[in-house]
Amino acid sequence: MRAPLGNFDVVRPAPEALDLLVAPVAAAVRAWAGAVPAEQLVHVDTDPEWADTATFVEHYGPELLDESANCVVVAGKRGGEVSLAACVVLSSHRVDVNGVVRRQLGARKASFAPMDTATGETGMEYGGITPVGLPADWPVLVDAAVADLPYALIGSGSRRGKLIVPGKALAGLPNATVVEGLGAPVR
């Protein structure tokens, strides 16, 4: 099988790679009821040493930067209450946490969640967090540019491996909202 983008040696439909996925991601793939068939979610085996965006595209190809998305966990605070959400933006962009995210969450203050909170609450590894398999009550904000991609390369829940998912599948995740301008280009 060839991946819909990039050039990877080991490529499988995600439902056939459940053994390589962390528990919450495997459960989400197993129970998939999205707008696209689960077989269109593709797992590619990659070296965990190159999981971070800069080293990943250096090793696997710079053309992947425009087809990759990062998922970051943010914490919104209002009146002593803290709520967590996920933001999915192009890898070449930064999440507008203090503007767009804060307003979307109706929070007085928003910031990136601490690493131990992000990994502890998701059950995923830092550097591999993905919007597939997040806690059911979390808002998932998806930048419109990501939703418009034919396929997006995203984390798989661990530093080893990536998922390649149609952008419209990300837009159709439970609690997903497509947000124009969620990410801004890195200068």
Side-chain angles (χ1 to χ4, degrees), residues 53 64-65 67-71 88-91 129 146 149 152-155 162 170:
T53 301
L64 292 174
L65 184 62
E67 299 167 322
S68 299
N70 289 331
C71 180
V88 184
V89 299
L90 294 173
S91 295
I129 294 176
V146 174
L149 288 173
L153 181 80
I154 59 173
K162 299 282 186 185
L170 297 173

Side-chain angles (χ1 to χ4, degrees), residues 1 10-20 41-45:
M1 172 179 196
V10 181
V11 181
R12 294 193 285 177
E16 295 176 18
L18 298 176
D19 58 318
L20 298 175
L41 312 180
V42 176
H43 180 271
V44 294
D45 193 21

Side-chain angles (χ1 to χ4, degrees), residues 147-175:
D148 288 342
L149 288 173
Y151 284 92
L153 181 80
I154 59 173
S156 67
S158 71
R159 292 183 63 83
R160 178 181 181 171
K162 299 282 186 185
L163 294 176
I164 300 175
V165 179
K168 66 183 176 184
L170 297 173
L173 287 170
N175 295 329

Side-chain angles (χ1 to χ4, degrees), residues 86-154:
C87 298
V88 184
V89 299
L90 294 173
S91 295
S92 58
H93 286 55
R94 290 193 184 185
V95 177
D96 182 0
V97 176
N98 293 312
V100 176
V101 172
R102 185 182 56 75
R103 286 189 298 276
Q104 283 288 318
L105 298 180
R108 185 166 169 79
K109 182 179 178 186
S111 59
F112 293 105
M115 181 172 56
D116 60 333
T117 300
T119 57
E121 294 293 324
T122 63
M124 300 178 199
E125 293 178 11
Y126 190 75
I129 294 176
T130 182
V132 177
L134 290 172
D137 59 339
W138 282 23
V140 179
L141 306 178
V142 180
D143 190 281
V146 174
D148 288 342
L149 288 173
Y151 284 92
L153 181 80
I154 59 173

